Amino acid sequence: RNAAKGLGAINYTPDADQVTRRAPLLLAVGPTGGNVVLAPSVATEALRVAFGAESTLATAIPQHGGFGGRTRMTSVKIGDTEIPTEADGSIRIRFSRQQAERRIPAWKILNGDVHRDEILGRIMLIGTSARELADLRATPLNAATPAVDIHAELIEQMLTGGRLIRPHWAPMAEGALILLGGLIIALAVRRLRPLAAFLAAALIVCTQAEASWLAFLRTETLIDPMAPGLSLAATWICAAVVARQRIAKDQGFVRN
């Protein structure tokens, strides 16, 4: 510890399905209700040491209550590099496929088979990939990714300026889409023939999925296509069942 130029946390924060999609740049360390300090992650600290910066600066703004209320982080500044963050100080990683040329087996270095130029001036992370050592994490692209790769992806993303964005208004937009789309589908089922109503519902679902895909490709913005799509499909099914029951009731009335 005394010989180290920096100390960084290696904690990871998986989502509810245990898939790692985000990584913290700073972590709150300290007892509950006590004095809490912000500690850098290993990726943040690696950049600070590489840049020769003395400290890491976090920027936060008040939310929902002005001063004295809760705050949300907006960015972390390391040297002259400012990295936008989400409200909790994390960033979403845009994972790439695993590439063998990014790795150097440790035995090659120990045997002296690696040229000095392959290491000099680079940020090197030492980690394990053996399944038996249980340092594997699930990511959106791979069910068993070495944890060291996640830190490497995070450092690379901070250096290149790449960023995935999940806007704070995204949940409200998705909710509005479910409400508005569901209303349109219900009216379509009530007023149109079954095939036309089905095509209208399919068009709405496909349009919102395509819009989400284009937002990801062109602006790296994450809008969930699954929850609205499933909700709208369920709305069509329920409305179609109700309409079918109404038609059957009307037919029975005519027969009687």
Side-chain angles (χ1 to χ4, degrees), residues 145-237:
T145 298
V148 66
D149 282 4
I150 298 176
H151 297 297
E153 294 266 19
L154 179 58
I155 291 174
E156 182 180 65
Q157 186 166 320
M158 289 192 289
L159 286 173
T160 60
R163 184 190 179 202
L164 284 178
I165 305 170
R166 171 70 173 168
H168 65 277
W169 48 261
M172 293 184 290
E174 292 158 5
L177 176 61
I178 292 174
L179 184 62
L180 181 60
L183 181 60
I184 295 174
I185 289 175
L187 291 175
V189 171
R190 185 176 181 85
R191 296 179 178 274
L192 301 178
R193 292 180 178 276
L195 180 58
F198 171 76
L199 292 177
L203 179 62
I204 294 174
V205 172
C206 292
T207 299
Q208 65 89 26
E210 180 67 16
S212 174
W213 178 242
L214 291 177
F216 170 71
L217 284 182
R218 297 184 178 180
T219 65
E220 297 187 323
T221 300
L222 297 176
I223 305 296
D224 182 16
M226 292 299 296
L230 293 175
S231 298
L232 295 177
T235 299
W236 177 82
I237 293 174

Side-chain angles (χ1 to χ4, degrees), residues 55 115 178 239:
S55 61
H115 196 274
I178 292 174

